[in-house]
Amino acid sequence: MTSTSTPPHRLDFATALTQWDYAPAPESVKPEIAGRYGLFIGGEFVEPHGSQSRGTQGDYFPTVNPATEATLAEIAQAGEADVDAAVRAAREALPAWAGLPAKERGKYLYRIARRIQERARELAVLETMDGGKPIRESRDVDVPLAAAHFFYHAGWADKLRFAFPGWHGCPSRESGSTAGTAVPPTPLPIGVCGQIIPWNFPLLMAAWKLAPALACGNTCVLKPAETTPLTALRLAEICQEVGLPRGVVNVVTGDGRTGAALVNHPDVDKIAFTGSTEVGKRIARAVAENNYLAHGSESRATKRLTLELGGKSPNIIFEDASLDQAVEGIIEGIYFNQGHVCCAGSRLFVQESVLDEVIAKLKIRMASLRVGDPLDKNTDVGAINSREQLGTISRYLGAGCDEGATLHVGGAVNGLADRWNGTAGTAVAHGAVAQTGKGYWCRPSFFTGVQPSHTIAREEIFGPVLAVMSFRTPEEAITRANNTPYGLAAGVWTDKGSKIFEIASKLKAGVVWLNSYNKFDPASPFGGFKESGFGREGGLQGLRGYVKA
Amino acid sequence: MTTRLPIPKTYKLFINGQFPRTESGRSVKIAGAAGNTVAHTCHASRKDLRNAVEAAAGAQAKWAGATAYLRAQILYRLAEMMEGKAGELAEAHRLEAGAAGTHGSESRATLEVAAAIDRIIHYAGWADKYPQVLGCANPVAGPYHNFTVPEPVGVVGIVCPDDHPLLALVSLVAPVVCAGNACVVLASETNPIPACILAEAIATSDMPGGVINILTGFRDELVPHFASHREIAAIHAAGVTPEQRKTLELGAAENLKRVTVRSSDGATKRRSDEGGFDWFDDERCEGPQWIEPFVEFKTIWHPSSA
C-alpha cells in the first residue's frame, strides 16, 4: 500500500500532524493524593510488615504518572506476612458476610455503586493520572461502568437461587437435600477469593472482580497492578465510607511477588486473575500444585481458578460493510485506551476488494486522532502506561519492520511535538515512539504487508499497533481469524444479516461484536475461548465463578 | 460328537468409526472373577491417542454443526442400539474380576445397563434444550441486541473410572457429546469390555465416525498424554488418583484446558463440595450442570437501530 491511494483532494496524511492544533482543555479537578498509602486489611489502612528475618521496615515503591513521570505517591509493597494478614481478615469476615441476609448484602453493593457515582470525577482524574488513559475514557467508560457493575451485581445478591436452573444437586444453604422443597436452593459462596487485576482498567477491573464475588457472599483480597494502585485504594476508602464490614474487602498492593504470595496462600479458595496468558498459565500450574497438596490436607484449601487472559482478536471487514462505520470500529477496536485492551481488535482482516479504500479512510481518520496530555478532554490517545510497556511496544514495532511489514504511523501529536525531536523516520519505530522528554508516548500506527507468520500478527502487543491483512472469501476470513491460540473477542462488519450471524457462529471467541467493537456492560458476560482463559465476568454466567457447583 | 469350540471375540479400539488394533501391537489379558482369561483387549499407546484425537477433531465441527434435533435423534438411536445389546452388556459386567459383590451380580448388572441407557435418553433430550437453559439474552444499557449462547469447546478427553464400566462412561460421555463436542475416551482398566461392546452400538447408531472414540489401556500410561495434547480442549475424568489429577491439571495449564474431575470415590476434603456420589443417582448425574463445563459461552452484540 502506498500513499498514492490517498485521494489528492483530501487532507494529506503525512502533513496532517503539523496542521492540527488545539487549545489545551485540561480537566481541572485535582484529587487529593496522600504521600504514602498503606495496605487495606481488615477495614483499616495499615503499614506493611518488614522482612522479619532482616529486621527491616516495610517497603514502599513509587507510583508514577506516565504522562509526566512524576511520582504520585508511595505505595506499600505487601509481603507474604501482609498477604497472610489480608487472607486471615477475609477468612474471619467470611461467615458473617456469607450469612448476612442476602438483601442486606446487596444493599452494601448498592451503596458502593452510589459512592462511585458521587466520586466519579475524582476517580476518573485519579485513574487518568495513575494510568495515562485519556480523561474522556476514564470519565465516560471506566468509572460509570465500574459503578454499573456494582449496581448490577447488588441486585443479584438476593436472587442467586434463580440464577442456576437445574442445580438441584448443588450444596445449598437450605440443607443437603432439595427434594420436595418449593424454593430452589441458594448456591453457597466459594469462600476467600484472591483477585489479581491488570493496569489497563484499574478501577473497572476491581469492580468486575469484587462485585460478583461480594454479591455471592465471598470475601476478597484484591491485588491491583503495580503501576496503577491508586483507584483501588480509593475504592477501599469507599468500602470504609459505606460501612462495609471489616475484612470483606482487602487490598494488597505490590508487584508480582505479592500476586504470587496470594496465589500460593494455602487458605485462599479461589483465584481470579486478569492479565497475560503467560502469567495465567503460571498461575494454573501453581493452582494444580496447590490442589495436589490440598488433597487430604486439613490446612490447605482446594483452589478454583478463573482466568481472563490475552488476545489477538480479529476485526473482519467485508466488502458489503458500511465502510465509514467499520473504520470507526477499527479505531475503537485498536486505539481505545492506547491499545492496552485484552480484547483489542489487533488483527484487521479486510476483504481484498475494499482493502485500498479502507486503508485510505483509516489514514484520514487516524490523522485526527489526538495524542497528548491524558488529562486534556480533547485527547484520544493518552500516555503508554509504563516505560516497560513502551519498551515492549517499541520492540514489536521494530520486529514488524524487521520482518518485512510496512509501518504507517498516524495520530495528531498535540502539544508533544518536541518529544520526537526529529527522530521521525528512524529505523526502530518510524517516529511512532517518543524519544525524548518526559512521559511515555506512542502514536497510533498500523502495519500493512503483514503475513500470518509475522510476530506482530501472532503475539499480543498491548499497544496502539494494528496488523492489517486481507482475505478473499468468508471461509478464508474465518480460518485466518481462528488461526490463533487466543479466542477472546472478534469483530465482524457487513450489512448482510445472514452472513454476519453465520460468521459470528463460526468464530472461536468469547465476545463477538457485530458492526460494533469494544462495547461493555455489566449484564454482558466477558471472557475467552482457548488460551484467552476460562470463566466469564459479568452477566448471569459471570456469577458461576463465585458459587459452588 | 465333539464339543463345539466357541469363537472368542477380539476386542479392538474404536477410532473414527472403525475398529483398528492398537498400532503398538500390545494386548491386555482381561481376567474373569475366577482368574480365568476372559478376553484380550488392546493396550492403546500414545500414537493411538493421537490418532483418536485427530479423528475427533476432524468430526467435531460437523457434529456441532448438525442440528440439535439431529444430534438428539442420533443419541436416541444409540440408546436403541444399546437396548438391543443389553444382555451382552450385562454379561460383560459379570465378567469383571472382583466385581461379583457389587455390580457383578446379575440383577446389578442389568440395573447398570438400564441406567446407562436411560442416561443416554436423558442427555439426548438435552441436545436441543441446553442452549436455552444455559444461554440468555442480556439487557445491556444501550441500543444493542445482546445474547449469550453456549457452544461446544471442541475435543474432550474422557478418563473413566474402573468401577461402573458402562454407566460411568456413559455418564461422562453423554453430556459432552450432546452439546456438540467430540471425545476420546479411555475406558475402565479393569473391565473395558462393556466399553468395547458400547463401541459396536455406537458404530451402528448413525453417530458419525470420530465423534466418540474409545481406547482401552492404562491410565498411568495415557493420562499424561491426555494432559499434554494441545488439541484436547477439555478433560472430563473420574476415578483418577490425586497424582493423575495433578498431571492432568499441570498439563492442562499448557494450553488452558478446562479440567473437570468427578470424585465418585466418596472422598471429602475440607471446604470441598466434591463429596462422593452414586452413578445411579439421577439427581446428581443428570442436568445442565454436567454439560456446562464443556461449553464456551459466546456473547454476541449487534447494534439495534432503524
Side-chain angles (χ1 to χ4, degrees):
Chain A
M1 190 47 41
T2 67
S3 60
T4 54
S5 64
T6 307
H9 60 282
R10 307 299 285 270
L11 186 64
D12 182 66
F13 178 63
T15 57
L17 297 176
T18 56
Q19 292 179 355
W20 289 72
D21 201 15
Y22 287 85
E27 171 58 55
S28 56
V29 170
K30 293 276 183 286
E32 272 183 38
I33 303 176
R36 177 175 266 204
Y37 285 91
L39 307 166
F40 186 65
I41 296 175
E44 302 289 342
F45 284 93
V46 298
E47 298 269 320
H49 290 77
S51 163
Q52 289 179 337
S53 58
R54 283 176 292 167
T56 54
Q57 294 295 305
D59 286 337
Y60 288 83
F61 62 92
T63 185
V64 304
N65 181 336
T68 63
E69 298 184 47
T71 294
L72 295 167
E74 296 283 322
I75 305 297
Q77 166 71 37
E80 284 184 19
D82 303 303
V83 169
D84 184 56
V87 172
R88 282 167 193 271
R91 176 65 61 197
E92 280 170 29
L94 180 65
W97 180 247
L100 205 62
K103 204 177 285 173
E104 298 303 304
R105 215 164 57 227
K107 280 152 74 174
Y108 282 107
L109 271 75
Y110 281 123
R111 281 190 181 185
I112 294 172
R114 270 289 182 263
R115 281 306 284 159
I116 292 173
Q117 288 172 323
E118 286 160 4
R119 297 178 68 171
R121 189 54 58 92
E122 168 200 355
L123 286 165
V125 174
L126 202 58
E127 195 76 306
T128 285
M129 291 175 75
D130 205 17
K133 66 172 61 202
I135 186 71
R136 185 169 57 80
E137 291 176 9
S138 47
R139 181 194 65 200
D140 297 347
V141 180
D142 294 61
V143 176
L145 268 178
H149 266 270
F150 278 102
F151 196 91
Y152 173 81
H153 287 97
W156 267 125
D158 61 348
K159 300 167 192 69
L160 295 172
R161 66 184 187 276
F162 305 111
F164 306 103
W167 281 28
H168 296 303
C170 70
S172 71
R173 197 184 303 293
E174 284 74 13
S175 80
S177 168
T178 60
T181 54
V183 181
T186 294
L188 291 174
I190 289 171
V192 174
C193 300
Q195 304 177 311
I196 303 170
I197 58 173
W199 44 260
N200 56 343
F201 296 93
L203 180 69
L204 183 56
M205 291 298 110
W208 278 30
K209 291 280 182 285
L210 292 174
L214 298 180
C216 294
N218 301 279
T219 56
C220 300
V221 178
L222 179 76
K223 208 293 271 184
E226 183 184 359
T227 61
T228 55
L230 289 181
T231 47
L233 292 164
R234 202 59 58 112
L235 185 59
E237 287 179 22
I238 289 176
C239 291
Q240 276 183 326
E241 283 179 353
V242 304
L244 190 73
R246 289 163 182 269
V248 170
V249 170
N250 305 276
V251 180
V252 288
T253 48
D255 57 19
R257 291 170 295 174
T258 308
L262 191 54
V263 167
N264 294 321
H265 196 288
D267 201 33
V268 171
D269 297 302
K270 185 225 165 87
I271 294 291
F273 171 76
T274 296
S276 71
T277 291
E278 183 196 347
V279 176
K281 289 179 178 181
R282 216 147 64 207
I283 290 174
R285 285 192 285 272
V287 167
E289 299 279 1
N290 172 85
N291 289 355
Y292 178 64
L293 295 175
H295 186 82
S297 164
E298 285 301 309
S299 59
R300 187 175 283 271
T302 303
K303 280 190 181 62
R304 287 148 202 273
L305 180 63
T306 49
L307 297 170
E308 202 270 89
L309 306 176
K312 192 72 186 177
S313 298
N315 201 359
I316 304 168
I317 298 181
F318 284 95
E319 60 188 1
D320 48 12
S322 169
L323 292 186
D324 288 326
Q325 288 177 25
V327 167
E328 282 305 310
I330 298 170
I331 299 283
E332 184 81 359
I334 186 63
Y335 303 127
F336 175 60
N337 199 32
Q338 296 75 246
H340 301 329
V341 184
C342 48
C343 54
S346 52
R347 288 184 299 149
L348 178 67
F349 293 99
V350 185
Q351 199 155 21
E352 204 171 73
S353 53
V354 293
L355 179 64
D356 291 354
E357 190 181 353
V358 167
I359 287 179
K361 284 175 182 287
L362 180 60
K363 285 181 175 179
I364 292 166
R365 178 64 182 88
M366 281 173 73
S368 61
L369 274 185
R370 291 180 294 273
V371 184
D373 179 6
L375 280 172
D376 191 308
K377 293 164 193 166
N378 288 325
T379 291
D380 297 304
V381 178
I384 298 301
N385 184 266
S386 66
R387 181 177 295 284
E388 185 189 3
Q389 185 58 25
L390 187 65
T392 300
I393 296 168
S394 301
R395 282 194 296 280
Y396 278 113
L397 287 166
C401 296
D402 292 347
E403 290 174 23
T406 306
L407 178 63
H408 307 258
V409 180
V413 175
N414 199 26
L416 295 170
D418 59 314
R419 300 300 206 285
W420 275 263
N421 202 20
T423 57
T426 55
V428 174
H430 290 275
V433 176
Q435 307 286 327
T436 62
K438 290 288 185 188
Y440 319 129
W441 307 99
C442 182
R443 285 157 62 191
S445 66
F446 65 91
F447 280 100
T448 53
V450 179
Q451 299 300 317
S453 57
H454 284 171
T455 307
I456 51 165
R458 292 184 291 110
E459 296 183 12
E460 183 172 42
I461 299 173
F462 227 62
V465 183
L466 176 68
V468 182
M469 291 166 275
S470 65
F471 67 93
R472 290 185 178 174
T473 64
E475 293 71 29
E476 186 189 354
I478 292 164
T479 304
R480 295 184 63 184
N482 287 337
N483 184 19
T484 168
Y486 294 114
L488 190 49
V492 188
W493 298 82
T494 164
D495 274 352
K496 193 155 188 283
S498 55
K499 179 155 76 183
I500 210 163
F501 284 106
E502 170 66 7
I503 305 289
S505 75
K506 294 261 170 73
L507 290 171
K508 300 290 183 199
V511 184
V512 181
W513 286 291
L514 305 179
N515 290 326
S516 55
Y517 209 97
N518 272 348
K519 304 297 172 194
F520 306 96
D521 193 279
S524 178
F526 185 92
F529 283 29
K530 302 196 282 184
E531 294 189 21
S532 290
F534 41 73
R536 293 292 176 266
E537 295 188 301
L540 176 63
Q541 287 76 15
L543 299 171
R544 175 68 179 76
Y546 288 101
V547 294
K548 284 184 177 172
Chain B
M1 189 80 181
T2 54
T3 311
R4 181 180 178 273
L5 199 61
I7 313 281
K9 185 179 235 166
T10 300
Y11 292 100
K12 297 192 283 185
L13 305 177
F14 183 54
I15 298 174
N16 209 20
Q18 297 177 317
F19 292 92
R21 291 178 199 281
T22 167
E23 62 81 36
S24 68
R26 302 176 302 182
S27 63
V28 185
K29 185 180 103 172
I30 302 300
N36 54 317
T37 300
V38 172
H40 284 88
T41 56
C42 287
H43 176 171
S45 66
R46 179 189 185 188
K47 180 75 166 74
D48 295 318
L49 169 65
R50 292 163 69 113
N51 291 343
V53 172
E54 196 179 330
Q60 193 266 327
K62 198 172 173 200
W63 177 242
T67 65
Y69 180 38
L70 181 62
R71 287 204 306 274
Q73 289 189 96
I74 289 174
L75 281 165
Y76 184 82
R77 179 69 179 159
L78 173 58
E80 286 181 349
M81 301 316 288
M82 288 170 71
E83 191 83 24
K85 286 180 171 289
E88 191 184 349
L89 284 164
E91 192 183 340
H93 280 81
R94 294 199 295 278
L95 297 173
E96 189 182 348
T102 55
H103 36 280
S105 76
E106 184 170 354
S107 60
R108 190 70 176 171
T110 306
L111 281 175
E112 171 130 1
V113 173
I117 295 170
D118 288 353
R119 190 134 300 151
I120 294 276
I121 295 294
H122 176 81
Y123 284 103
W126 269 119
D128 55 4
K129 296 167 194 70
Y130 85 88
Q132 294 176 304
V133 173
L134 297 180
C136 55
N138 307 308
V140 295
Y144 293 90
H145 177 45
N146 179 301
F147 57 100
T148 298
V149 288
E151 294 191 352
V153 288
V155 175
V156 179
I158 293 176
V159 181
C160 296
D162 286 337
D163 59 312
H164 302 285
L166 181 68
L167 179 58
L169 184 152
V170 160
S171 303
L172 293 168
V173 167
V176 165
V177 170
C178 83
N181 296 290
C183 62
V184 176
V185 184
L186 178 58
S188 163
E189 263 177 42
T190 53
N191 187 6
I193 295 174
C196 296
I197 298 168
L198 175 69
E200 293 170 9
I202 296 168
T204 50
S205 70
D206 304 332
M207 180 76 73
V211 173
I212 302 175
N213 304 277
I214 299 177
L215 306 176
T216 52
F218 295 94
R219 283 191 295 276
D220 266 342
E221 180 182 344
L222 290 177
V223 155
H225 303 311
F226 274 91
S228 63
H229 200 300
R230 296 185 77 88
E231 290 243 3
I232 295 177
I235 297 282
H236 199 189
V240 292
T241 63
E243 287 74 20
Q244 288 165 342
R245 181 178 188 148
K246 180 182 169 190
T247 300
L248 285 172
E249 291 184 349
L250 280 176
E254 296 310 310
N255 70 335
L256 297 173
K257 283 181 190 71
R258 289 73 170 129
V259 178
T260 303
V261 179
R262 312 285 177 183
S263 304
S264 59
D265 57 4
T268 51
K269 289 173 279 177
R270 189 176 79 103
R271 287 198 301 278
S272 165
D273 55 12
E274 294 170 356
F277 63 90
D278 181 351
W279 291 104
F280 282 94
D281 183 350
D282 288 350
E283 283 290 309
R284 293 298 302 271
C285 296
E286 295 180 351
Q289 71 277 17
W290 278 68
I291 301 172
E292 199 197 88
F294 309 102
V295 300
E296 292 285 4
F297 286 105
K298 178 185 280 180
T299 297
I300 298 176
W301 295 67
H302 195 283
S304 173
S305 61

